[in-house]
C-alpha cells in the first residue's frame, strides 16, 4: 500500500525538516548530550560544537548494523585502507585536491594529531602561533608540551553590506614567526568566526611558512560545512605554493556528520612531513587507535551522506538568517554569521556586561561559550551554536533579545 500523500518519505528533505522543526529542549535533554545536560534547569544548550540534528541515515544504519552484528572490535587494515581511499576521493571530488590515499592516515581525533605534531614534529621548546579567536584546545595544548602559545588576534573588517568580517593578521603572524615560532595552527573554516579563508589568505600563509621555515597545522574539520553557496573550501595543502615538508592537515567527518564519539579522524601529509610522521612510532602508531565504527562511519558519510548534509547546511542557513533578523533588533549586539561551520560569533561589547555568556546564561537561560575562552582579546564576545531545530532557535533568539533589551549593568 502506498503512503498517503501527506506523509513525507523517510529521509526526504521534508521529513528531515519536520523532524528538526519538532525538536524541543525537553527532547534534547532526554537525549543526554553534553551541550544539553551540563547546565541544570531550563537552559538552552547552544555552546558545545555538537549538532542537535542527529546524523545521516546512512551513518546511523552502519552503526546499527555493526551493533547488531557485534562488529565493534579492532580495525582491520582493509577497512582502514578503504576509509583512507574514500577520504582521498572526497578531497579530490569535493575540493579538487588530488591526494593519494597513501598520504592519508587515520587517528582517533584531530586533537591527537595536533598533540603529536607539536610533541614529535616541531623544534623542541618552540612556541606555537594560534590566530584568535581560536577553538579553545588550540590555546591550552601547546602548554601541555611546555610550549608558549603566541596569540595573534584577528583583524576586524567589514563586508560590503557592513557586516563584520574577521581576517588573519598576517603581519602579526609574521612577527611571531620571526620570534622563532615552531608551528602555526590554521583553522579553516575558522571556528569560531566562521570564515572560509580565501586563496589569497592561504597563499600568504604559505609564503610566510616557507620564508621562515615554520610548519603549518591546517585543521579543516569544518570543511564539509561551508554554508555560503558562493564559497568553496580550499584545502591549504592543495595550493601550489604550500611546502609539503611544512604542512600537516587534519580533518574528520566528526563535525559535518556529527559523530565525534566515533573517533576516526585523518592526518593528510606528504613528502618529508609524511616520512617524518611514519618514521616516528609515536605518531605513526596513532593509526592503531582509530576505531572500526569510526572508519565505517567515514565510508558511509562520504559515500552516502552527502544529500543529508546538503539539507542540514540549508537548514542551518535558515537558522542563521533567523538569528540575524532577531539580533538586529537588539542594541549592543552584533552577530557574525558563519560562511562555514555552524557557529555564530556574537559581539556583545556594546552591552556593557563584563561576561556576556554568563549574563545570557543567567538572564536569558541560553548557554553559549564565553569569548575569553577563545583567547585573551575576546572577553566581550560569545559563540552561539546554530545547529538546532527551528523552534529552539526561535526561542533562543527571543530569550537573547529580551535579556539584551533589559540590559542590567552587572551580570
Ligand atoms: C576546529 C576544531 N578542531 C577540532 C575539533 C575537535 O575535533 P576532534 O574531536 O576530532 O578532536 C573541533 C571540535 O569542535 C573543532 O571545532
Amino acid at each position: 500500500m502506498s503512503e498517503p500523500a501527506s506523509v513525507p518519505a523517510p529521509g526526504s528533505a521534508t521529513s528531515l525538516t519536520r523532524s528538526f522543526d519538532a525538536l524541543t529542549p525537553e527532547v534534547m535533554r532526554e537525549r543526554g548530550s553534553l551541550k544539553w545536560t551540563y547546565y541544570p534547569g531550563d537552559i538552552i544548550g547552544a555552546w558545545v560544537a555538537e549538532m542537535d540534528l542527529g546524523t545521516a541515515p546512512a551513518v546511523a544504519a552502519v552503526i546499527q548494523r555493526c551493533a547488531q552484528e557485534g562488529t565493534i572490535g579492532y580495525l582491520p587494515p582493509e577497512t582502514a585502507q578503504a576509509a583512507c581511499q574514500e577520504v582521498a576521493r572526497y578531497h579530490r571530488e569535493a575540493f579538487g585536491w588530488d591526494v593519494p590515499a597513501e598520504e592519508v592516515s587515520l587517528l582517533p581525533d584531530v586533537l591527537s594529531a595536533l598533540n603529536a605534531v607539536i610533541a614529535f614534529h616541531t623544534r623542541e621548546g618552540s612556541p606555537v602561533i594560534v590566530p584568535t579567536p581560536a577553538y579553545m584546545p588550540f590555546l591550552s595544548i601547546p602548554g601541555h608540551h611546555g610550549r608558549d602559545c603566541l596569540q595573534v588576534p584577528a583583524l576586524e573588517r567589514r563586508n560590503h553590506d557592513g557586516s563584520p568580517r574577521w581576517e588573519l593578521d598576517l603581519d602579526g603572524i609574521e612577527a611571531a614567526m620571526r620570534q622563532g615560532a615552531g608551528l602555526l595552527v590554521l583553522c579553516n573554516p575558522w571556528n569560531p568566526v566562521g570564515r572560509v579563508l580565501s586563496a589569497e589568505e592561504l597563499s600568504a600563509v604559505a609564503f610566510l611558512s616557507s620564508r621562515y621555515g615554520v610548519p603549518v597545522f591546517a585543521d579543516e574539520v569544518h570543511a564539509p560545512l561551508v554554508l555560503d553557496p558562493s564559497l568553496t573550501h580550499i584545502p591549504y595543502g592543495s595550493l601550489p605554493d604550500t611546502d609539503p615538508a611544512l604542512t600537516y592537515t587534519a580533518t574528520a567527518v566528526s563535525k559535518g556528520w556529527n559523530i565525534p564519539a566515533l573517533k576516526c579522524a585523518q592526518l593528510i601529509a606528504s613528502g618529508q612531513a609524511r616520512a617524518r610522521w611514519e618514521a616516528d612510532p609515536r605518531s605513526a602508531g596513532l593509526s592503531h587507535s582509530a576505531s572500526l565504527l569510526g572508519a565505517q562511519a567515514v565510508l558511509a558519510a562520504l559515500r552516502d551522506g552527502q544529500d543529508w548534509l546538503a539539507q542540514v547546511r540549508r537548514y542551518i542557513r535558515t537558522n542563521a538568517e533567523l538569528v540575524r533578523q532577531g539580533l538586529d533588533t537588539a542594541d549592543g549586539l552584533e552577530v557574525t554569521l558563519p560562511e562555514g561551520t555552524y557557529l555564530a560569533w556574537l559581539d556583545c561589547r556594546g552591552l556593557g556586561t563584563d561576561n556576556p555568556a554568563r549574563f545570557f546564561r543567567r538572564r536569558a537561560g541560553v548557554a553559549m561559550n564565553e569569548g575569553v575562552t577563545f583567547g585573551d582579546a575576546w572577553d566581550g564576545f560569545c559563540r552561539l551554536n546554530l545547529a538546532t531545530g527551528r523552534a529552539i532557535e526561535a526561542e533562543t533568539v527571543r530569550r537573547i533579545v529580551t535579556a539584551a533589551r533589559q540590559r542590567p549593568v552587572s551580570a
Side-chain angles (χ1 to χ4, degrees):
M1 211 171 79
S2 63
E3 295 273 3
S6 61
V7 177
S12 68
T14 315
S15 123
L16 261 189
T17 304
R18 284 194 191 167
S19 69
F20 297 160
D21 287 353
L23 290 172
T24 64
E26 294 71 32
V27 168
M28 290 314 306
R29 277 185 212 112
E30 186 65 30
R31 288 184 185 174
S33 65
L34 173 63
K35 185 154 70 98
W36 280 93
T37 58
Y38 186 82
Y39 295 105
D42 176 25
I43 301 281
I44 290 180
W47 58 299
V48 187
E50 300 174 336
M51 297 203 264
D52 294 343
L53 310 177
T55 189
V59 175
V62 86
I63 297 170
Q64 275 162 4
R65 201 197 73 216
C66 287
Q68 269 160 9
E69 292 173 353
T71 316
I72 323 173
Y74 295 105
L75 175 58
E78 297 73 29
T79 313
Q81 202 187 351
C84 293
Q85 279 163 352
E86 196 54 36
V87 169
R89 184 198 62 77
Y90 175 62
H91 279 77
R92 191 167 55 248
E93 291 177 11
F95 310 127
W97 187 17
D98 209 355
V99 193
E102 305 73 56
E103 295 179 357
V104 181
S105 52
L106 305 183
L107 72 180
D109 46 39
V110 166
L111 293 183
S112 58
L114 177 60
N115 273 292
V117 167
I118 295 176
F120 313 131
H121 301 291
T122 57
R123 213 175 50 256
E124 213 177 315
S126 58
V128 176
I129 306 170
V130 180
T132 68
Y135 173 55
M136 312 74 158
F138 296 163
L139 301 168
S140 54
I141 285 175
H144 302 163
H145 303 282
R147 308 300 183 85
D148 284 340
C149 178
L150 303 176
Q151 297 188 26
V152 180
L155 301 175
E156 183 171 359
R157 305 281 194 229
R158 295 277 149 184
N159 290 309
H160 291 309
D161 64 359
S163 59
R165 173 185 176 85
W166 302 93
E167 293 187 355
L168 291 172
D169 178 357
L170 293 163
D171 292 340
I173 290 172
E174 179 165 18
M177 287 186 175
R178 242 194 257 114
Q179 277 179 48
L183 185 71
L184 166 67
V185 179
L186 182 72
C187 186
N188 178 37
W190 186 350
N191 169 8
V193 294
R195 279 294 319 288
V196 174
L197 296 177
S198 67
E200 291 72 30
E201 288 169 297
L202 295 169
S203 287
V205 170
F207 172 78
L208 293 176
S209 161
S210 297
R211 178 165 188 191
Y212 294 96
V214 176
V216 172
F217 180 84
D219 177 332
E220 302 188 356
V221 70
H222 290 275
L225 286 159
V226 174
L227 302 183
D228 182 337
S230 71
L231 297 174
T232 25
H233 169 71
I234 304 172
Y236 174 74
S238 71
L239 291 176
D241 32 8
T242 47
D243 181 347
L246 296 174
T247 304
Y248 300 91
T249 299
T251 191
V253 300
S254 58
K255 290 291 127 189
W257 285 268
N258 203 29
I259 47 169
L262 295 188
K263 297 293 168 198
C264 184
Q266 301 94 43
L267 187 279
I268 305 177
S270 54
Q272 288 173 33
R274 170 58 60 192
R276 281 193 301 265
W277 183 269
E278 295 303 335
D280 190 320
R282 294 168 298 180
S283 47
L286 285 171
S287 61
H288 301 302
S289 306
S291 94
L292 168 56
L293 220 47
Q296 293 287 9
V298 168
L299 292 168
L302 297 181
R303 284 176 185 162
D304 302 316
Q306 301 295 345
D307 289 349
W308 176 86
L309 186 57
Q311 288 165 31
V312 163
R313 284 190 300 252
R314 266 198 300 279
Y315 194 86
I316 295 170
R317 277 208 304 274
T318 308
N319 277 356
E321 207 35 57
L322 189 72
V323 167
R324 186 205 301 278
Q325 284 168 11
L327 298 196
D328 270 357
T329 66
D331 286 343
L333 286 181
E334 185 168 39
V335 63
T336 305
L337 295 182
E339 297 169 340
T341 80
Y342 48 75
L343 305 163
W345 187 233
L346 240 64
D347 183 348
C348 311
R349 288 174 293 184
L351 272 189
T353 161
D354 59 348
N355 185 332
R358 191 178 57 200
F359 166 74
F360 284 116
R361 200 167 63 241
R362 290 184 180 167
R363 301 297 173 93
V366 176
M368 296 183 272
N369 294 86
E370 297 183 7
V372 72
T373 61
F374 297 87
D376 295 337
W378 305 100
D379 52 350
F381 292 76
C382 302
R383 189 186 73 178
L384 171 68
N385 187 326
L386 302 170
T388 191
R390 196 87 75 231
I392 295 177
E393 197 68 276
E395 174 64 6
T396 304
V397 171
R398 193 195 63 74
R399 289 184 181 200
I400 291 176
V401 169
T402 307
R405 285 193 182 137
Q406 287 164 356
R407 283 258 216 131
V409 180
S410 67

